[in-house]
Amino acid sequence: MSTARDLHDGLDHVRGLFAAGELSALKAAAVVTACSDLDRAERAAVDLRLAAHDLTRLGIRRLQDLARKFAAEVAPEKFRARAESARAERRVTLRPAPDAMTYLTAYLPVEQGVACLAALNKAFTEVSVNPAPLTRTRGQVMADTLVERLTGQAVATDVDVEVQVVVPIEALLDPDSPVPAEIPSHGPVPVDLLAKSEGRKTLRRLITSDGVVIGGDSRQRTFTGLLARLVRARAGNRCTEPYCDAPVRHIDHIHRDAEGGATDLDNGRGVCEFHNHVREQAGWRVARGPDGQVRTTTPTGHTYLAPG
């Protein structure tokens, strides 16, 4: 492991504390991470500075900050390059959360992140001093304010967006059916909750029977619009190749377009970028069987079955 290598390559004091059981593996790893871009001599200089402190009494965050401070002093140019590289990686991501929720995460320069949080806290202060009764918690006000300012809507629940919802036909035929709907890649959600939701959200319902999405056709060469959304929904927005759980990046023709394959729901499958490129290599064959499953044959002759 790189952690063990770096501990033996300049961080003698830290390694000694770790070997004696006075420093946990997490704390030792935090120091190694702070020194990851340093050479042996630079790590030794950081280790010497750390030796002047009682590291066993420091929490992991304080220890990490101390190691980063010494690394910046020992190699200022590397520290600046590392900080500039991190800023270039700023981004916003969305991950599914339980109970029909999501985690919206922003990776920002520290001053921008602090400014954003301060603005949201200020919004709560303004609401709390308003004469109107306060009916929301601090967290709710901050979350609603974030949505309103990002989308430009006056009210957080009034977002203008199309939400793709997979609804089992059983839930339509029986109002008392316990079968939930599903938002692809975000998991199940109660059908009645969607029906009662506020705002101008457009719910595009994709009806399923026995797990199969019904509908869609196209004469285009590429899968776009509703047809593309149907294929992604059928795949649950995850690559349909066996053993792969990567997000769908490409929509592939099972029977190649160049060989006369149609651009329709039956001939489409959602796959990740890697598996879409792999099947174009010599010796790979993909076909849909009469049972609806997709059969992938590798150059070695091995065959794998997967849902479409």
Side-chain angles (χ1 to χ4, degrees), residues 164-167 184 205-216 226-227 229-236 265-266:
Q164 184 183 101
V165 183
V166 177
V167 183
R205 297 188 305 179
L206 310 177
I207 312 303
T208 65
S209 177
D210 296 327
V212 178
V213 179
I214 304 171
L226 174 60
L227 180 58
R229 292 194 291 269
L230 288 169
V231 175
R232 290 176 183 273
R234 183 173 60 190
L265 184 62
D266 187 64

Side-chain angles (χ1 to χ4, degrees), residues 1-18 28 31-52 55 67 70-71 74:
M1 291 178 60
S2 59
T3 300
R5 180 199 64 207
D6 290 349
L7 280 175
H8 284 80
D9 197 20
L11 297 173
D12 296 339
H13 177 67
V14 174
R15 176 166 53 86
L17 293 176
F18 173 61
V31 174
V32 169
T33 300
C35 303
S36 61
D37 57 339
L38 305 183
D39 59 30
R40 179 185 179 87
E42 291 165 341
R43 275 194 292 270
V46 172
D47 188 68
L48 184 62
R49 286 169 165 79
L50 289 173
L55 305 185
F70 291 151
V74 168

